[in-house]
């Protein structure tokens, strides 16, 4: 397989704070996708990257295929950001998922 | 565009019974993927199809599990002689291409008593 490691496993933030999540993988990948899984279990796509950096509101993601990692940065955390964040990486095959980072945002 | 549709949303079976789960991918998407999610194992890849052909089933348990894609509008995952350890949320996703962005359905939660 192609191990995918996510750090940290769990994260607690206060509203308004910011932090980064990391996804490390063992071989060069062609794409990374970040998801938020909410309390209902639905996987919501946040980003898909084949290279570089993308931003969407309070979220920003980078993908460094050469260095074998991707990051998801959340700023001005809101209560609705709580959930589990997954990265999925692919290289000419089906995407494989990391174990996720469970984010709790507290008031 | 209705997105990826999975049915049933919930299924309860007795041990030893058969369970069949259905997935309708987004129209025009050439790749269809099946994953399984449990608390212990996380999100596990099971199998995927490209243009209806099976490409990689390396994640499928060798016994009792089978997947098919008889036409471009639906795929099925069949589990024979279900066991309690098969209890999980089974997720289907489709994509324009193998390494492209995944679009997930809401999942089918299987409970084996």
């Amino acid at each position: 397989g192609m191990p995918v490691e996510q750090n940290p496993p769990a994260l607690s933030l206060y509203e308004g704070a910011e932090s980064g999540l990391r996804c490390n993988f063992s071989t060069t990948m062609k794409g990374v996708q970040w998801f938020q899984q909410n309390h209902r279990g639905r996987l919501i796509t946040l980003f898909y990257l084949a290279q570089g950096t993308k931003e969407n509101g309070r979220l920003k993601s980078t993908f460094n295929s050469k260095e074998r990692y991707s990051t998801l940065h959340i700023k001005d955390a809101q209560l609705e950001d709580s959930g589990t964040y997954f990265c999925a990486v692919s290289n000419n095959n089906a995407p494989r998922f990391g174990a996720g980072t469970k984010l709790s945002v507290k008031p | 565009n209705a997105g990826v549709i999975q049915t049933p949303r919930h299924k309860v079976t007795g041990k030893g019974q058969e369970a069949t789960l259905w997935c309708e991918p987004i129209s025009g998407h050439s790749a269809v993927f099946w994953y399984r999610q449990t608390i212990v194992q996380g999100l596990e890849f099971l199998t995927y199809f490209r243009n209806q052909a099976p490409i990689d089933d390396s994640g499928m348990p060798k016994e009792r599990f089978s997947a098919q894609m008889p036409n471009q509008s639906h795929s099925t995952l069949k589990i024979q002689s279900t066991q309690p350890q098969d209890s999980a949320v089974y997720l289907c996703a489709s994509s324009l291409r193998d390494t492209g962005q995944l679009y997930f359905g809401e999942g089918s939660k299987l409970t084996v008593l």
Side-chain angles (χ1 to χ4, degrees):
Chain A
M2 42 181 189
V4 183
E5 183 182 87
Q6 287 190 245
N7 289 298
L11 180 63
S12 184
L13 296 176
Y14 285 104
E15 275 186 297
E18 64 180 275
S19 190
L21 286 59
R22 188 155 173 124
C23 175
N24 296 318
F25 32 92
S26 56
T27 60
T28 302
M29 296 296 170
K30 288 192 172 182
V32 65
Q33 194 167 354
W34 284 91
F35 300 87
Q36 180 196 25
Q37 189 168 44
N38 60 22
H39 67 281
R40 297 180 65 183
R42 187 68 185 263
L43 281 164
I44 300 164
T45 298
L46 300 175
F47 294 103
Y48 172 77
L49 296 95
Q51 63 180 8
T53 299
K54 286 188 178 179
E55 271 190 84
N56 184 4
R58 298 179 293 102
L59 302 179
K60 178 179 175 180
S61 182
T62 61
F63 176 45
N64 189 323
S65 178
K66 184 177 179 182
E67 300 296 324
R68 303 177 186 173
Y69 73 90
S70 176
T71 60
L72 177 68
H73 193 84
I74 302 172
K75 61 182 180 182
D76 188 23
Q78 302 296 305
L79 296 176
E80 61 264 28
D81 295 334
S82 294
T84 303
Y85 290 78
F86 292 98
C87 67
V89 296
S90 56
N91 182 21
N92 292 326
N93 50 22
R96 266 36 176 208
F97 282 79
T101 293
K102 186 173 183 179
L103 174 65
S104 299
V105 180
K106 300 177 180 179
Chain B
N1 189 339
V4 175
I5 300 172
Q6 289 189 248
T7 55
R9 292 293 315 282
H10 302 274
K11 186 172 181 66
V12 180
T13 66
K15 182 178 175 180
Q17 293 183 325
E18 182 178 288
T20 301
L21 308 176
W22 281 268
C23 173
E24 180 181 331
I26 293 172
S27 178
H29 282 193
S30 63
V32 174
F33 306 83
W34 285 95
Y35 292 85
R36 173 170 69 178
Q37 186 174 26
T38 61
I39 293 175
V40 174
Q41 298 294 332
L43 274 156
E44 297 178 278
F45 166 74
L46 294 176
T47 186
Y48 91 98
F49 298 85
R50 183 198 304 141
N51 295 321
Q52 299 171 232
I55 301 300
D56 179 359
D57 67 354
S58 59
M60 291 277 274
K62 296 308 176 188
E63 298 179 354
R64 305 185 295 105
F65 281 64
S66 63
Q68 295 182 326
M69 192 161 183
N71 56 61
Q72 63 185 9
S73 65
H74 88 275
S75 175
T76 58
L77 179 68
K78 183 183 291 186
I79 308 171
Q80 295 178 311
S81 186
T82 54
Q83 303 297 310
Q85 62 264 32
D86 299 332
S87 297
V89 176
Y90 289 82
L91 291 157
C92 177
S94 69
S95 176
L96 279 170
R97 62 184 190 283
D98 298 19
T99 57
Q101 181 173 337
L102 294 174
Y103 295 82
F104 276 91
E106 296 192 14
S108 293
K109 183 176 181 179
L110 174 67
T111 302
V112 183
L113 301 176

